[in-house]
Amino acid sequence: MAYLLGSLAPAVAAASPAPDYGLYPAASFRLVTGQCRDCAASRQALWYFRAETIAVPRPGIAVASFTPATETFADVRAWAAARTPDAAIDYPPLVWVAASQVMRGARMSADGGALRAGDATLAARPIAKIPLNRSYYDASSVAWLQGRDLAVRGETRDGAFVMRSVWPNDFRVGPQAAPMRAMPQAASAQLALRALVREAPRGGAQSPYAIQTLWQREGAMQDWTGKPVLALLVNGAQGDDDEAHAGHFALVTGRVRGDGAIGDWLADNFYSLDIESEKGILAAPVPLDNYLADLNSGQSWYRPTYLLVMVLRDERAPALVQSALNRVYQQFYRHQLVYYHPADNCASISVDTLRALGWPVRARGPTNRALAWVGFPFVALKERSFAKARVAVDYLYTDQTRLLPAAALEEAYADLADFARGTLPAGAGALARMVAEDLEALAFVRVPQFPSSRAFGDAPVVSMAEYRARVPADPALAQIVPVPPRAFPDSLRDPDLLAPRRRPSDYVATAWGLVSIVGIPVLAWRAWRAWRRRQRKSRAALE
């Protein structure tokens, strides 16, 4: 079926006239690519986005900075301690919008070949699948999107709209408070949240979108319009990738809109910069509709998603968090902070930021440090790799709240339940006090997985034991997507970068190395001495 390109305005507009990017007015940004030469973003950040559409703050707007020659979270703590309560929000170096145009209020044709918005009808097609991506948008996706009000980001090319992300606008938070929901009965707040996440089959991957109010302050307004929000987001387990059962973690900031739309909230995604993702994921602040619904990198095409949404009376807490995360991004792009899955991952970077700001998210403790020490040589021999043995040690050593997104969500929820009762933890600082004082409501949101050719996912694991139970016992049967490395150019390394801190695996490997260098020869010498004594005794007996 052929479609003609109709009038583009107002059906298709530049992406920047979106109402906001999280807490920021979109009018404060301009659209460029990473080839920009007059942007405040660092040369390292622009290098990663050299082929991508990004929104950067307009000239004269203060962009988050960092302190050179300083560890990332020490920098955040010092910055937060010196920041005045009424300080303006710092801007991010960039927002990854991925496409320069957006269609709002669009409807998809029955065959998926066109989009209609207002009086305009445009031929439409999805952006090409990244070759390493194993599955993609298909006829089931088109059928699921039928009849929905859509926000579609993309580019007009050769008389057609090339779709980069497709987001259903009926997934809303507000403007009116969601229905109240009693939490499942459980022995702890952590277990109650786990039961809520897992109450639907496959963690809600194939269930309808749902939003429920878990708590609301007495006397708080039922109309949430304009309220600032800070949200904790966890994506579930993927159904066809045995490296992705733990899920993914992000912090989200924004405001409740008058129509309840959430696509312009800002999700802060941390992901390894040193690999070429099979989905094209890049670490950045990104509009929530892009984060969840980009046809290649969108998390909702892979697994279910859960959000704990804090509805607040003041924006000071989300402004503080977003400003700090912008500072972390500056250090991340220049490789002062390097992504390392066992200890510096999406969950740990987010939790470390909250802790540095004064929300001491409770720790769950390491999986098993004794096993890390004892198991090191066995893993090294089994895998024939000291590198893999070191990684195993670091997984076992890391606090599970920093390692596993679901554990981080459960522990943060337990804190929020205390905040709602007026209880602050020991060591609570500025951020914890802000959230406790400003929290007006707490909502739980479940976003289903979008149908495609991909297998449906599940709820994320909450322990390494559960992770191992989901992975095939035979390594040959594990589903793993090999990805190529992305080398960080030496020319982009700043001279002030600090050396990486020592990890637990460094100490374990050193200790076992000493055992092998000193201990084994000593044992051999003692065995030889014992053998000589037996030989002498044998000769004496014969004589």
Side-chain angles (χ1 to χ4, degrees):
M1 185 181 296
Y3 297 94
L4 298 177
L5 182 65
S7 171
L8 295 184
V12 180
S16 56
D20 298 294
Y21 295 135
L23 297 171
Y24 305 100
S28 298
F29 293 79
R30 58 193 175 105
L31 295 183
V32 297
T33 70
Q35 301 292 335
C36 175
R37 292 294 174 263
D38 62 346
C39 301
S42 68
R43 59 198 181 109
Q44 295 95 339
L46 293 173
W47 182 78
Y48 285 109
F49 293 90
R50 57 195 181 278
E52 293 289 336
T53 299
I54 55 177
V56 297
R58 293 187 179 278
I61 291 177
V63 175
S65 184
F66 63 91
T67 303
T70 306
E71 186 273 330
T72 301
F73 296 104
D75 179 28
V76 172
R77 284 190 292 273
W79 164 84
R83 189 175 186 267
T84 60
D86 59 347
I89 189 171
D90 291 341
Y91 273 65
L94 60 88
V95 174
W96 184 28
V97 297
S100 64
Q101 294 177 312
V102 61
M103 291 184 69
R104 301 188 185 281
R107 298 274 176 165
M108 184 174 287
S109 65
D111 65 355
L115 292 169
R116 182 174 184 83
D119 296 329
T121 301
L122 289 77
R125 65 176 186 271
I127 195 168
K129 180 176 78 70
I130 293 174
L132 286 174
N133 199 345
R134 297 197 206 164
S135 54
Y136 203 56
Y137 172 99
D138 64 2
S140 67
S141 313
V142 173
W144 184 77
L145 292 166
Q146 289 301 301
R148 294 182 183 273
D149 180 285
L150 304 172
V152 187
R153 295 182 187 269
E155 312 281 352
T156 304
R157 298 176 189 163
D158 302 322
F161 195 74
V162 180
M163 300 181 293
R164 179 70 184 256
S165 69
V166 185
W167 173 253
N169 282 326
D170 52 308
F171 290 2
R172 301 178 183 276
V173 172
Q176 294 298 309
M180 292 294 297
R181 159 68 194 262
M183 289 295 287
Q185 293 295 314
S188 67
Q190 293 92 329
L191 292 176
L193 183 68
R194 188 180 308 174
L196 181 59
V197 166
R198 299 184 176 198
E199 69 178 2
R202 301 193 68 88
Q206 294 173 270
S207 301
Y209 173 86
I211 174 171
Q212 300 152 332
T213 300
L214 305 182
W215 174 86
Q216 185 153 343
R217 189 180 298 276
E218 185 176 353
M221 293 179 61
Q222 293 295 306
D223 185 352
W224 292 350
T225 302
K227 298 288 186 182
V229 298
L230 172 62
L232 311 172
L233 181 154
V234 168
N235 307 113
Q238 292 184 202
D240 59 356
D241 186 344
D242 286 315
E243 292 183 309
H245 292 298
H248 199 70
F249 193 97
L251 294 169
V252 180
T253 59
R255 290 188 184 86
V256 178
R257 285 181 44 178
D259 60 0
I262 61 176
D264 64 347
W265 290 4
L266 209 57
D268 291 284
N269 179 35
F270 289 93
Y271 195 85
S272 177
L273 295 172
D274 295 326
I275 61 168
E276 296 280 357
S277 165
E278 77 275 16
K279 304 163 191 170
I281 298 173
L282 289 167
V286 58
L288 188 61
D289 58 359
N290 280 23
Y291 176 80
L292 292 176
D294 183 289
L295 295 182
N296 274 296
S297 66
Q299 297 292 331
S300 286
W301 294 103
Y302 301 94
R303 43 197 173 185
T305 294
Y306 319 93
L307 293 96
L308 277 177
V309 181
M310 293 161 259
V311 181
L312 304 161
R313 68 183 181 191
D314 191 280
E315 74 168 38
R316 57 182 181 160
L320 176 63
V321 171
Q322 188 62 60
S323 295
L325 289 167
N326 298 339
R327 201 170 184 91
V328 174
Y329 279 116
Q330 294 282 33
Q331 297 275 40
F332 195 62
Y333 292 135
R334 73 191 200 104
H335 271 60
Q336 179 58 70
L337 174 61
V338 178
Y339 197 97
Y340 177 56
H341 202 276
D344 294 301
N345 55 57
C346 56
S348 58
I349 293 171
S350 301
V351 169
D352 289 350
T353 300
L354 296 178
R355 288 173 174 166
L357 295 175
W359 179 349
V361 180
R362 60 189 75 190
R364 186 165 289 187
T367 299
N368 195 322
R369 290 181 176 174
L371 181 60
W373 279 91
V374 174
F376 178 83
F378 297 99
V379 175
L381 289 171
K382 179 183 176 182
E383 300 291 342
R384 298 180 182 180
S385 169
F386 282 105
K388 290 183 178 180
R390 292 167 73 99
V391 168
V393 166
D394 290 332
Y395 273 122
L396 292 169
Y397 244 85
T398 300
D399 168 28
Q400 295 170 77
T401 312
R402 298 179 65 251
L403 176 63
L404 298 167
L409 189 71
E410 290 178 0
E411 297 299 341
Y413 170 72
D415 285 339
L416 288 167
D418 284 346
F419 293 173
R421 291 189 290 267
T423 303
L424 285 175
L431 179 58
R433 290 194 297 272
M434 289 177 185
V435 173
E437 291 170 7
D438 295 344
L439 188 63
E440 294 200 338
L442 182 63
F444 176 77
V445 175
R446 185 183 64 232
V447 181
Q449 182 174 335
F450 298 178
S452 70
S453 64
R454 187 171 292 273
F456 280 98
D458 205 335
V461 301
V462 295
S463 68
M464 292 301 292
E466 188 177 14
Y467 190 101
R468 288 190 295 271
R470 290 196 189 182
V471 175
D474 183 353
L477 299 178
Q479 298 186 71
I480 296 173
V481 183
V483 293
R486 181 197 285 121
F488 186 59
D490 287 339
S491 61
L492 293 179
R493 292 188 182 275
D494 293 331
D496 69 284
L497 293 180
L498 301 177
R501 70 182 186 277
R502 291 179 65 82
R503 303 189 183 281
S505 59
D506 294 326
Y507 299 101
V508 174
T510 299
W512 277 105
L514 290 172
V515 168
S516 64
I517 293 171
V518 177
I520 292 176
V522 168
L523 291 174
W525 177 75
R526 287 182 175 178
W528 179 80
R529 289 281 304 272
W531 178 80
R532 288 292 303 272
R533 283 195 297 270
R534 288 195 299 271
Q535 290 294 100
R536 285 195 296 269
K537 289 180 180 179
S538 296
R539 285 196 297 270
L542 290 174
E543 293 174 356

